[in-house]
Amino acid sequence: MVRFMKNEIVKRIEKDFSDTVDLVIKPIKVSLLKTIYVIYLESVTGSDKVNDYILKNISFLNAIKKGNFKDLPSLIPAPNTKILKNADEIEFYITNGFTIVICGKEIIALETRADIQRGIPEPTTEQAVFGPKDAFTENIQINLGLLKRRLKSKNLKAKSVVLGRKTKTMIEILYFDDICEEDLVTHVESELKKVDVDGILDSGNVSEYLSEENNTHFPTVIKTERPDTASNALLAGKVLLFVDTSPFALIVPGFFSDFLNPVSDNYKKSNNINFLKVLRFCCFFLTILAPAIYIALINYNPETIPTTLLINFSTQRDNVPFPAIVEAVMMLIIYEILRESDVRFPNSYGSAISILGALILGEAAVNAGFVSPIMIIVIAFTFITSLIFTEQEVVNAARHWRIIFLIAAAFYGLYGIVLAFLYFLCHITELKTMGKPYFYPIAPFDKTYLFKGLLKKDILKDTERSSLLAPNNKTKQRSTDS
């Protein structure tokens, strides 16, 4: 039996990865005095690739015998090879599916990642009738490929940042250097480099570091699983972030109007879609104002309600033992519980739970005299108007402001709603996202972006980008006017 004198670097790897069951260290005797070590992790490395790229290609042994270790990258047919300068880099590469080849003090890393990703799926959270049907996956290389299939330009640049002391998560920052502001890219990169944490497991972790989480309930970072949405944002002058192991890309800055209008609107005629855009904007304010307006009219301003309708409301509330505000809060809590159960349950049970809660529980509450039928209608209308928003953070922000308006209406009626609305406007207009005004293009007003965010301009007249995002390259289409 031949005994090998273990290399110092190999000893260090064995110590660093002690009690790691998937670590493989294969020594290969090259000559009497030379031994090379092939080291990899079975769980993230394809054994067939190690065999095909390294073990079957023994032609590189002659190069090692002659001391030409630096010639190995050209001799081994691996897709990506790197000569490592020191042993500190080994941990990053070996945990990312690379095979490490060691000879003396020389270290080389060869890409032999295992195929442990799923195929390209269809969008599930941003479904649309028209538009592409592919979606991002957990593999950052596949996501880059889906993006570059659409954006074939040398001006699409990428910067890499690694976050997480334990996870070593790769993050790619993408932008067009001839469209996007350099200050925006620098700001994003500097914010990420401030992060010092054990682990980054999903793009949601990264978005928390990029958003003003402590100042507002509104989302300021867009999460998307659609490559066409990501491409559209880059062409507008925004910055895109891919996080390895996450199927959702991040887009910054994210304005309020961006969360109300999906990119699939671009695939429809402007005359038809503008009605829906205005409707969505109205639905947001209805979902936060409807219960408050009902409470204000019933308690403080009944004279504004037609007499016949007011008599019907009074008749319905005769047997209800609670004030209208208590009634509203009870129903809001019940509907929030139903919404949460619908999200958490498997798809096969979710709809059944919703029907059970909405029909049986609602009808039983009315028959028992706990709530009035009109309150059921108001709360149901409130939640129906919130269902048009796919971004969960928008729904959460609407819930927060709904409670504020409800409390203001309970104490001061319509006057309280006006005061709460002024507070809402002050709050949302002072918000910043990556140093940009969040309520843009309404405050500050920008006619060009208004027709991109809140309304859709005819495609032949949509010739300019927003001056806020791309001040140095505003022209995106040559005008057809003669």
Side-chain angles (χ1 to χ4, degrees), residues 54-298:
I54 302 173
L55 301 181
K56 282 186 177 180
N57 292 278
I58 59 174
S59 59
F60 64 83
L61 295 179
N62 291 327
I64 294 175
K65 290 178 181 179
K66 296 177 182 179
N68 299 327
F69 195 82
K70 293 184 179 180
D71 293 339
L72 288 187
S74 60
L75 296 175
I76 300 177
N80 187 12
T81 58
K82 295 182 181 292
I83 294 179
L84 306 187
K85 296 179 180 179
N86 57 68
D88 294 333
E89 298 178 89
I90 291 177
E91 180 184 0
F92 174 79
Y93 284 99
I94 198 171
T95 54
N96 276 279
F98 281 69
T99 295
I100 306 298
V101 178
I102 299 174
C103 181
K105 294 183 179 179
E106 303 290 344
I107 310 168
I108 188 170
L110 303 99
E111 185 177 353
T112 53
R113 288 191 178 102
D115 295 325
I116 54 177
Q117 68 272 357
R118 59 192 173 108
I120 298 173
E122 290 190 10
T124 55
T125 61
E126 298 174 89
Q127 295 179 352
V129 177
F130 299 104
K133 299 300 181 184
D134 53 349
F136 293 130
T137 72
E138 290 80 4
N139 188 301
I140 195 170
Q141 297 299 328
I142 292 178
N143 293 344
L144 285 168
L146 291 174
L147 191 70
K148 291 191 174 184
R149 282 182 62 189
R150 293 166 168 82
L151 303 174
K152 304 175 180 66
S153 171
K154 64 181 181 180
N155 297 111
L156 180 61
K157 306 299 182 181
K159 294 184 178 182
S160 299
V161 177
V162 178
L163 294 185
R165 292 188 294 266
K166 303 296 185 186
T167 58
K168 307 290 185 184
T169 305
M170 177 68 70
I171 299 175
E172 296 286 347
I173 306 170
L174 291 102
Y175 61 97
F176 275 108
D177 64 349
D178 60 336
I179 299 176
C180 183
E181 278 188 302
E182 185 178 349
D183 291 343
L184 177 59
V185 180
T186 304
H187 181 64
V188 172
E189 193 174 11
S190 64
E191 288 297 314
L192 291 178
K193 288 182 177 179
K194 293 178 185 177
V195 178
D196 185 12
V197 67
D198 279 344
I200 296 291
L201 301 177
D202 186 72
S203 59
N205 299 138
V206 179
S207 68
E208 292 179 19
Y209 292 108
L210 295 176
S211 62
E212 287 78 9
E213 185 183 8
N214 296 326
N215 299 330
T216 182
H217 288 78
F218 286 105
T220 55
V221 177
I222 303 170
K223 304 181 186 72
T224 181
E225 62 175 346
R226 295 180 62 101
D228 56 332
T229 300
S231 303
N232 186 70
L234 286 170
L235 291 172
K238 297 185 179 183
V239 174
L240 180 74
L241 292 93
F242 282 134
V243 180
D244 198 16
T245 73
S246 175
F248 287 89
L250 304 177
I251 299 170
V252 290
F255 303 120
F256 176 74
S257 59
D258 294 330
F259 297 97
L260 303 184
N261 299 295
V263 74
S264 57
D265 289 350
N266 295 337
Y267 310 134
K268 304 169 187 175
K269 291 180 66 67
S270 58
N271 293 337
N272 297 330
I273 206 64
N274 279 337
F275 169 75
L276 296 178
K277 284 180 173 287
V278 174
L279 184 64
R280 291 192 202 109
F281 199 74
C282 293
C283 281
F284 176 80
F285 288 101
L286 285 173
T287 195
I288 63 177
L289 287 171
I293 292 174
Y294 172 75
I295 295 298
L297 294 181
I298 287 294

